[in-house]
Amino acid sequence: MDMMTSEVSRRSMLGLFSLAAALPLVGCASVPRAAESAPAWRTKSVRSQTDDLNIVYHEAGRGKPLVIVHGGGSNAEPYRKLGDMLTPHFRVVRVERRNYSVSGTRASPITWEQEVGDVGAVIAAVGGRCHLFGHSAGALVALHVARRRPELIDKLALYEPPLLGGGPGVVAVKAKFDAFIAAGRKDEALILIYGHFVGLPENVVRASIGSRGPDVYALLPGASADLEALTTLDTDPADWSGIRLETLFLVGEKSAAHPLLDSSAALAKVIANSRTVTLAGQGHSAQVSAPDLVAAAISPYFRAG
């Protein structure tokens, strides 16, 4: 989850709904560089295939569509620099997930299927088939798209989907989170979820909140929605073995073992056509701290074959 835009902890700012290692990156010769002048991003919207909710997306570049689904506690803005680096080879599309203040908001019940319809609508709008990259909770969305709508995807890339961090055990966490929000204790809500899912100490979270400013609180409804969805997440890796798409897992060398690395490792074991790349020196937010490393991993992967 990417609520804070810099890596501030000893584990390099993992993120909220984060979740196994092999094949380190070799050299930097293939690292895509951002253009001297950043590409012009065009903001558009489409109606979800699930419930007609308005879904906003940003696109730049040309070529095969590469759709990016952002993580929890974030919006698509922290993925802009990564997108800039990918635009020389792809029509990059950054989706604004529902409930995160840019696209529309849906009241409970919250389901993963709603976001399958969101991403499906965006893919239809940009050509009907794409490469798909999801990060953290966005990687969980991408997994659901891959399982339900594989015909929409050419290749799949997942950066630490927190599969093993979901399930009924999240119910109590969500109840406490919502109680903090209702009481106006927004900082405590953030401390709770970062501590529970990532293990960040309270002082680190407070410092990060202070550096981000009031805009961080606009993301809290989306975090609450993600928590609700996580309570119903299918956490049995074997249930995802039917995915036959070519899949690349990205993991941070410094990411937490559980649920981050453990989830990626468990999924990599059951998704037959998959491999894993470790991002050297990084945690769960390399799209912010080292977008060149993420681009160097996914650009040649999506371009090959």
Side-chain angles (χ1 to χ4, degrees):
M1 187 182 209
D2 270 317
M3 193 165 299
M4 310 162 206
T5 57
S6 63
E7 301 214 335
V8 293
S9 77
R10 53 187 168 76
R11 287 182 292 180
S12 55
M13 188 56 245
L14 302 174
L16 172 56
F17 299 133
S18 17
L19 278 186
L23 301 178
L25 296 175
V26 179
C28 297
S30 62
V31 175
R33 299 295 180 186
E36 289 186 7
S37 58
W41 289 89
R42 303 171 295 279
T43 298
K44 302 180 180 181
S45 66
V46 66
R47 293 292 175 177
S48 174
Q49 295 173 345
T50 306
D51 53 13
D52 210 36
L53 200 70
N54 189 58
I55 303 301
V56 175
Y57 63 95
H58 316 281
E59 65 175 9
R62 60 181 59 188
K64 180 77 178 181
L66 193 173
V67 174
I68 296 174
V69 187
H70 69 75
S74 181
N75 54 34
E77 182 59 27
Y79 300 75
R80 178 193 288 264
K81 185 173 288 187
L82 171 62
D84 289 347
M85 294 179 175
L86 296 168
T87 54
H89 302 290
F90 304 100
R91 180 183 178 186
V92 181
V93 180
R94 295 180 292 122
V95 179
E96 297 282 4
R97 293 176 57 214
R98 61 172 59 209
N99 303 311
Y100 276 105
S101 77
V102 181
S103 290
T105 297
R106 160 88 182 226
S108 183
I110 304 295
T111 70
W112 297 106
E113 294 305 314
Q114 292 161 2
E115 294 202 68
V116 172
D118 301 347
V119 175
V122 172
I123 294 173
V126 300
R129 193 171 174 89
C130 72
H131 298 312
L132 184 61
F133 171 65
H135 171 233
S136 199
L140 293 175
V141 174
L143 269 174
H144 282 84
V145 177
R147 185 161 73 172
R148 295 299 301 272
R149 302 291 306 279
E151 73 279 4
L152 300 180
I153 306 170
D154 281 331
K155 288 185 177 182
L156 180 67
L158 305 170
Y159 184 178
E160 296 180 347
L163 190 78
L164 302 180
V170 182
V171 171
V173 180
K174 178 174 171 20
K176 192 171 183 179
F177 175 88
D178 288 344
F180 279 142
I181 297 299
R185 299 170 62 186
K186 297 178 180 179
D187 288 3
E188 283 74 13
L190 294 173
I191 290 165
L192 168 70
I193 53 181
Y194 275 93
H196 181 86
F197 288 97
V198 189
L200 291 178
E202 178 178 339
N203 66 315
V204 171
V205 180
R206 287 194 184 279
S208 300
I209 294 169
S211 68
R212 181 67 184 268
D215 64 316
V216 72
Y217 301 124
L219 304 172
L220 286 168
S224 180
D226 278 349
L227 278 168
E228 180 176 337
L230 279 168
T231 66
T232 63
L233 182 64
D234 180 356
T235 59
D236 185 350
D239 291 342
W240 301 90
S241 62
I243 294 176
R244 296 287 182 258
L245 295 165
E246 186 175 354
T247 303
L248 176 69
F249 287 94
L250 298 185
V251 297
E253 181 184 26
K254 296 184 177 180
S255 291
H258 188 80
L260 308 185
L261 301 183
D262 291 347
S263 294
S264 293
L267 285 165
K269 287 180 180 178
V270 301
I271 297 177
N273 192 14
S274 69
R275 64 186 179 92
T276 302
V277 167
T278 299
L279 301 174
Q282 300 302 311
H284 188 60
S285 297
Q287 81 286 352
V288 172
S289 62
D292 55 334
L293 291 183
V294 178
I298 66 176
S299 182
Y301 162 70
F302 284 136
R303 291 164 63 192

